[in-house]
Amino acid sequence: MIHDGRNIVPTAPKPRQVISLLLLRRNTVVRTEELIDELWEGDGGPPTSAMTTLQTYVYKLRKILVAHEAGNVLRTRPGGYLLAVPNSALDLCRFEQAACEGQALLESDHPAQASEKLAGALALWRGQALADVVQGALLSSYATRLEELRSRALELRIEADLRLGQHRELISELKALVLTKPLHEHLHASLMIALHRSGRRHEALETYRTLRRNMIDELGLEPGAELQEVHQALLSDSALHRTPGPSAFDPVDRERTTLPPVPAPAASDEPLPQATSPVPLVAPEHIPSQIPADTPDFCGRQGAIEELTSRLAPPETGTQRTATPIVTISGLPGVGKTALAVHLAHRIRARFDGGQLYARLEGSSTAPRDPADVLDGFLRALGIAPRRIPEGLEERGAALRSATAGRRVLLVLDDVASWADARALLPGDAGCAVIITGRRRFHGPAGSAGVDLDPMGRADSVRLLTRLVGPDRAQREQQAIDRLAALSDGLPLALRCLGGRLATLPELSVAELVDQLADAEAPLELMRIGDLDVRSGFDTGYAGLNRLQQGVFRLLAMLPAEGFTTEAASELLGWEPSDVARVLDRLADEHLIKAVRQADGHLGYAFPPLVLGYARERLMSALAGGQRAPWTGDGPTAGEHHPWSGNQLTMA
């Protein structure tokens, strides 16, 4: 922040983080949780005084702004703070606009004007992005994006100068650049072209040999197709001498880079073409639409839909978003996470004219998909030629961010095991959006909005059953339908299994099925039809626990169905409450138990009814197959690898 030529940004590290994040997210509310996560990310979690400390930082920033007659710029909003700054006041916005205009000029064959515009954009940089600011996860992502934008603008300016025949003037600059980026193929290709056009073909060939040797030694890879084409042209001494206009060997990726048509000026005094948004790096005809078909009888979930839709909505007029909006949906198996994500994607897909991408990562299975393979599929769907797709995970992630820059693309990442698996699959453009589902509760994504999906309410459960069995049949047995909805605990998968059973057995009355469920020793056996199976979903969640956690899960089924406290679980297991609390937290993260407020006001836990039945099945199975052994009363060991022993029984 500059006022009267003087930098007024505070010198203390954390206030600098606060003002940096507020500036990058200008004109939008930055939530206090995001600021706290950013400030104390690497400090073992925020201190208990985090909120008070953050308020102190904001007070000091406001005091500085008031002293410079800008006190109304920093505003307190419900849940966070907003920095009201016009885009025209930021060098960053001027850079992005000038770089975008320069790229449009270059692609419309105005290299001289493009070079001037891009050079002006680059002149706004005074060093590395956020170099003097301590960076947490959010600021680090912004810094990475800004550096990528600067690198792209520099490459475009070099391309423009090559078209203008300024190859000799570029050699020293390009040599310095390849020293700092020894594996950057694009810059090496530009240097080889500049050297060859300057009559220094032997140096150009040596540049290729050096890069090839470095890539093989460090990456085990050969140079890409673009660089090999330049190398072949050097060997044949052809094509590279053409300087007016683009050539097949100019270092612009013709497969990836396309621009909307821009009319050339009819007279020299006509205004040059302007660009108002970043230019896409993939051809407009490659617009994927991968979202699966919506569920025809989807119903309910209005609260979750409204909350998630508002999080993914475009920013208000006059504001600018700089981070990709992300929403997460988690919940116990069979609760309808995928159905909600797909339904939501269909509701908002019209906003994302750059395409919609979908991938199921199988994170809850024993063989989850490799994120690198998912990225390969995404890049192919976006029109990137297979030979242009890099090998490494990070490189493919960077390619996805480049391919989606300037486009409005919606990504749905289904059944993700953890935030770490999703991180590499995220676009970087604020015009994109991401929906993530997973069984486990997500703790990692700063700035994302999360929904822990609960089972459906009674009214929505009855509505879904009515759609499954037919309104006439439901009307005839309305009381039984209501009872069946209660026995299914509002779990959509259970409702579909029971509704499907009734639909395929029209001679079976709803009341008879209710009686079967009420009398069954293993009700989950009736909640299976075709590929739908409630128990298999619970099996997957159970298999994701280690042996110690599985043993605790089984034994907790002995506690009262209405709920239990940490102390009650501690007494049952003979552990310290702190040891028990860690396991309970894990089970809650897996949505196998849930936190509840007990009658006395204290926080406790309870099983969802169907999960309780499953836990009791597991307990009885372990009791039937276990062997007697003395109870040691020991809590979990550091590694938690030993068999579970408890209540005089080996529960392995």
Side-chain angles (χ1 to χ4, degrees):
M1 297 189 301
I2 307 297
H3 186 270
D4 291 337
R6 188 168 63 89
N7 190 337
I8 62 171
V9 177
T11 57
K14 290 193 185 299
R16 291 176 76 87
Q17 283 181 272
V18 173
I19 195 63
S20 297
L21 189 53
L22 290 172
L23 277 168
L24 287 167
R25 297 270 291 276
R26 61 201 171 277
N27 304 315
T28 61
V29 175
V30 181
R31 292 185 296 151
T32 53
E33 308 94 89
E34 298 176 88
L35 288 163
I36 289 172
D37 288 344
E38 176 68 24
L39 290 171
W40 287 282
E41 181 188 39
D43 299 339
T48 56
S49 61
M51 181 64 72
T52 303
T53 306
L54 173 61
Q55 292 170 346
T56 301
Y57 295 152
V58 172
Y59 168 76
K60 291 179 178 179
L61 291 171
R62 186 173 281 124
K63 189 175 180 181
I64 293 173
L65 293 169
V66 168
H68 294 86
E69 300 178 353
N72 63 334
V73 170
L74 180 53
R75 304 169 185 175
T76 301
R77 291 289 182 266
Y81 300 95
L82 178 145
L83 194 68
V85 179
N87 289 336
S88 59
L90 270 69
D91 284 348
L92 170 60
C93 295
R94 291 195 288 271
F95 161 76
E96 290 180 326
Q97 179 66 23
C100 186
E101 293 172 1
Q103 185 169 351
L105 286 163
L106 182 61
E107 291 296 329
S108 57
D109 204 16
H110 295 83
Q113 296 95 326
S115 178
E116 181 180 356
K117 182 67 72 173
L118 290 163
L122 292 166
L124 294 170
W125 285 77
R126 298 177 179 86
Q128 186 178 356
L130 302 178
D132 56 352
V133 179
V134 177
Q135 297 173 23
L138 274 177
L139 286 178
S140 179
S141 66
Y142 286 123
T144 300
R145 174 182 177 272
L146 293 175
E147 288 296 334
E148 288 185 358
L149 288 175
R150 177 167 67 162
S151 178
R152 178 60 177 152
L154 178 60
E155 292 172 17
L156 291 171
R157 201 225 74 219
I158 291 171
E159 161 69 5
D161 289 347
L162 280 173
R163 292 195 196 181
L164 293 171
Q166 297 177 5
H167 34 270
R168 289 184 177 86
E169 293 85 347
L170 284 170
I171 289 175
S172 60
E173 180 183 8
L174 284 167
K175 282 190 172 183
L177 288 171
V178 298
L179 284 174
T180 60
K181 299 183 178 181
L183 299 176
H184 197 300
E185 295 185 55
H186 196 87
L187 290 175
H188 280 78
S190 298
L191 176 58
M192 291 163 64
I193 293 169
L195 287 167
H196 184 60
R197 290 178 180 174
S198 302
R200 298 157 67 172
R201 187 160 62 125
H202 67 288
E203 290 186 55
L205 290 169
E206 182 59 32
T207 298
Y208 176 82
R209 285 192 290 269
T210 300
L211 173 64
R212 181 175 181 271
R213 183 168 57 250
N214 290 338
M215 291 186 65
I216 291 174
D217 290 346
E218 297 190 28
L219 304 177
L221 299 174
E222 289 281 350
E226 176 193 1
L227 206 64
Q228 292 185 28
E229 290 174 6
V230 176
H231 183 235
Q232 289 300 317
L234 287 171
L235 293 175
S236 61
D237 195 20
S238 63
L240 291 177
H241 282 302
R242 294 178 294 171
T243 54
S247 82
F249 301 107
D250 281 340
V252 170
D253 191 335
R254 302 295 167 197
E255 273 190 52
R256 289 188 296 115
T257 306
T258 60
L259 286 160
V262 181
S268 59
D269 58 348
E270 280 195 36
L272 293 170
Q274 302 291 308
T276 58
S277 61
V279 184
L281 295 177
V282 296
E285 62 266 22
H286 293 290
I287 301 179
S289 183
Q290 298 182 342
I291 306 301
D294 198 4
T295 305
D297 51 13
F298 185 92
C299 65
R301 306 302 194 194
Q302 289 307 308
I305 290 172
E306 290 174 7
E307 179 180 352
L308 297 174
T309 301
S310 66
R311 289 288 185 173
L312 298 175
E316 297 180 2
T317 304
T319 64
Q320 182 176 358
R321 176 185 286 151
T322 57
T324 306
I326 302 171
V327 297
T328 63
I329 305 170
S330 63
L332 75 157
V335 79
K337 301 179 290 292
T338 298
L340 174 59
V342 170
H343 183 73
L344 176 63
H346 279 282
R347 287 175 64 108
I348 64 175
R349 66 185 303 170
R351 303 178 194 164
F352 299 94
D353 50 12
Q356 306 93 42
L357 298 170
Y358 173 88
R360 185 171 178 84
L361 274 70
E362 305 294 346
S364 59
S365 73
T366 56
R369 291 185 63 188
D370 186 343
D373 293 338
V374 176
L375 283 169
D376 180 78
F378 282 170
L379 292 169
R380 290 170 184 260
L382 289 167
I384 307 301
R387 65 188 180 88
R388 300 283 188 187
I389 298 175
E391 289 298 323
L393 176 63
E394 292 186 7
E395 291 78 7
R396 288 183 179 180
L400 177 70
R401 292 191 293 275
S402 296
T404 54
R407 302 181 73 183
R408 291 189 292 269
V409 179
L410 174 65
L411 280 77
V412 179
L413 307 177
D414 193 17
D415 193 16
V416 176
S418 67
W419 171 243
D421 291 335
R423 186 183 293 113
L425 305 174
L426 302 179
D429 197 285
C432 300
V434 182
I435 303 172
I436 302 174
T437 78
R439 185 186 67 242
R440 186 177 301 171
R441 184 177 289 115
F442 293 95
H443 293 292
S448 66
V451 169
D452 287 337
L453 201 60
D454 292 323
M456 299 172 67
R458 182 67 59 85
D460 287 333
S461 298
V462 169
R463 189 177 299 114
L464 178 56
L465 279 174
T466 300
R467 294 181 180 183
L468 292 170
V469 305
D472 293 339
R473 191 175 183 184
Q475 182 65 30
R476 289 195 304 270
E477 298 190 77
Q478 187 172 2
Q479 189 173 7
I481 285 285
D482 188 71
R483 177 63 178 150
L484 190 62
L487 290 172
S488 66
D489 191 31
L491 195 69
L493 180 58
L495 290 165
R496 292 191 178 279
C497 289
L498 297 172
R501 184 176 294 273
L502 290 168
T504 56
L505 297 171
E507 67 279 3
L508 177 67
S509 71
V510 180
E512 287 172 333
L513 181 57
V514 168
D515 291 340
Q516 291 177 15
L517 278 171
D519 297 337
E521 291 186 5
L524 294 180
E525 286 295 326
L526 297 173
M527 298 181 185
R528 178 177 60 187
I529 183 169
D531 293 334
L532 303 179
D533 184 2
V534 173
R535 179 185 278 109
S536 68
F538 293 162
D539 284 340
T540 301
Y542 181 80
L545 305 174
N546 63 33
R547 295 185 67 188
L548 184 68
Q549 293 159 353
Q550 289 176 352
V552 173
F553 173 76
R554 295 191 297 263
L555 284 179
L556 291 177
M558 299 170 63
L559 294 172
E562 59 270 18
F564 55 87
T565 62
T566 303
E567 290 72 21
S570 175
E571 183 177 349
L572 172 70
L573 301 171
W575 291 2
E576 291 295 325
S578 59
D579 292 331
V580 176
R582 284 195 294 271
V583 181
L584 294 179
D585 287 343
R586 173 63 192 276
L587 296 177
D589 276 348
E590 297 285 344
H591 293 92
L592 294 174
I593 61 175
K594 58 183 179 180
V596 295
R597 187 66 63 182
Q598 297 193 311
D600 60 3
H602 290 91
L603 184 66
Y605 296 91
F607 282 99
L610 293 182
V611 181
L612 176 60
Y614 175 80
R616 287 175 173 170
E617 284 185 12
R618 284 284 183 177
L619 177 63
M620 297 307 297
S621 175
L623 289 171
Q627 296 178 346
R628 292 187 176 275
W631 167 247
T632 65
D634 295 333
T637 63
E640 295 189 343
H641 295 310
H642 59 75
W644 171 263
S645 296
N647 274 11
Q648 305 290 323
L649 292 165
T650 298
M651 306 294 291

